[in-house]
């Protein structure tokens, strides 16, 4: 019935910024700033379908019926921890969005994701939801986060990531064909411990400087 689309943000600024992020010598400060900047650029594309209405305004020259957002309710939902790095960029583009948090950790051996925290705006079921996380690797975390949002009644969900692996995209397309994916790049594959190749390493550790 649905056919989830993968939107790769094919833009020189995104490509350039991602290259700096991929470099293992990039500092925590620069990495964190770049996550936020690319978050802003991807949000620009991910909000392209927001409905507009018009309102009457007076310019200094004359009156006009001017376009204005139709007031859709949006929630940005970062997958903890690394998803937090993208929130600021989304909010700079959509300042009225609400923020819900979903905590997800992966069992280090099985790579199975578990929800350990979920705090959403009360009216989350009425909102368009943008789940954000820098990495879509096996897809396990995003898959579980989307399932949790659907369990809470959300029907319009998008997934925004910086780097995706083909395996993760396949996982989301198979389990959630109604969820469009917005990403800065699709990389080659996963390595044998579930990291994206070439990727950018452990996004959470690089954002928060924990390694
Ligand atoms: C990373 C990343 C995603 C997940 C992707 O988080 O931010 O949430 O891995 O992997 P997957 O697609 O195979 O599920 P991680 O589990 O390292 O936690 P962190 O955000 O605390 O660093
Ligand atoms: N999580 C990360 O932070 N990086 C990867 O490459 C895969 C999962």
């Amino acid at each position: 019935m649905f056919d989830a689309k993968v939107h790769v943000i094919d833009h020189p600024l995104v490509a350039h910024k991602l290259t700096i992020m991929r470099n293992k010598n990039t500092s925590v400060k620069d990495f964190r700033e770049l996550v936020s900047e690319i978050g802003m650029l991807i949000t620009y594309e991910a909000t392209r379908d927001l409905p507009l209405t018009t309102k009457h305004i007076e310019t200094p020259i004359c009156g006009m019926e001017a376009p204005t957002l139709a007031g859709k309710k949006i929630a940005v939902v970062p997958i903890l921890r690394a998803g937090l790095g993208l929130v600021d960029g989304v909010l700079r583009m959509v300042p009225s969005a609400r923020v819900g948090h979903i905590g997800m950790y992966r069992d280090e051996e099985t790579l199975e994701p578990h929800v350990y925290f979920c705090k959403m705006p009360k009216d989350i079921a009425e909102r368009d939801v943008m789940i954000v996380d820098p990495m879509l690797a096996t897809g396990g975390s995003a898959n579980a986060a989307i399932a949790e949002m659907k369990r809470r009644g959300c029907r319009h969900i998008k997934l925004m990531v910086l780097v995706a692996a083909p395996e993760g995209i396949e996982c989301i397309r198979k389990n959630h064909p109604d969820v469009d994916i917005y990403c800065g790049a699709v990389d080659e594959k996963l390595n044998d411990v579930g990291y994206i190749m070439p990727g950018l390493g452990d996004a959470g550790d690089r954002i928060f400087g924990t390694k």
Side-chain angles (χ1 to χ4, degrees), residues 108-111 138 167 189-197:
E108 287 195 354
E109 274 167 22
T110 64
L111 300 181
T138 64
E167 293 89 334
K189 60 178 182 181
L190 297 179
N191 69 10
D192 55 7
V193 288
Y195 275 79
I196 300 176
M197 289 178 69

Side-chain angles (χ1 to χ4, degrees), residues 106 135 137 194-196 201-203:
R106 289 188 301 163
M135 311 304 276
Y195 275 79
I196 300 176
D202 188 308

Side-chain angles (χ1 to χ4, degrees), residues 114-166:
H114 299 274
V115 177
Y116 68 85
F117 180 79
C118 193
K119 180 78 180 170
M120 294 294 148
K122 275 206 179 67
D123 59 353
I124 191 69
E126 297 156 29
R127 291 183 176 269
D128 283 9
V129 170
M130 201 184 294
I131 297 176
V132 299
D133 192 323
M135 311 304 276
L136 178 65
T138 64
S141 308
N143 180 36
I146 294 167
E148 179 66 24
M149 299 314 296
K150 287 185 174 175
R151 203 181 64 73
R152 289 168 181 258
C154 303
R155 289 293 164 261
H156 300 110
I157 301 173
K158 291 176 179 173
L159 174 64
M160 178 173 135
V161 300
L162 301 188
V163 181

Side-chain angles (χ1 to χ4, degrees), residues 7-8 40 50 75 90 92 111 128 151 154 167-169 200-201:
H7 307 258
V8 184
M40 231 181 337
L50 280 181
V90 177
R92 279 160 78 182
L111 300 181
D128 283 9
R151 203 181 64 73
C154 303
E167 293 89 334
I169 290 174
L200 42 78

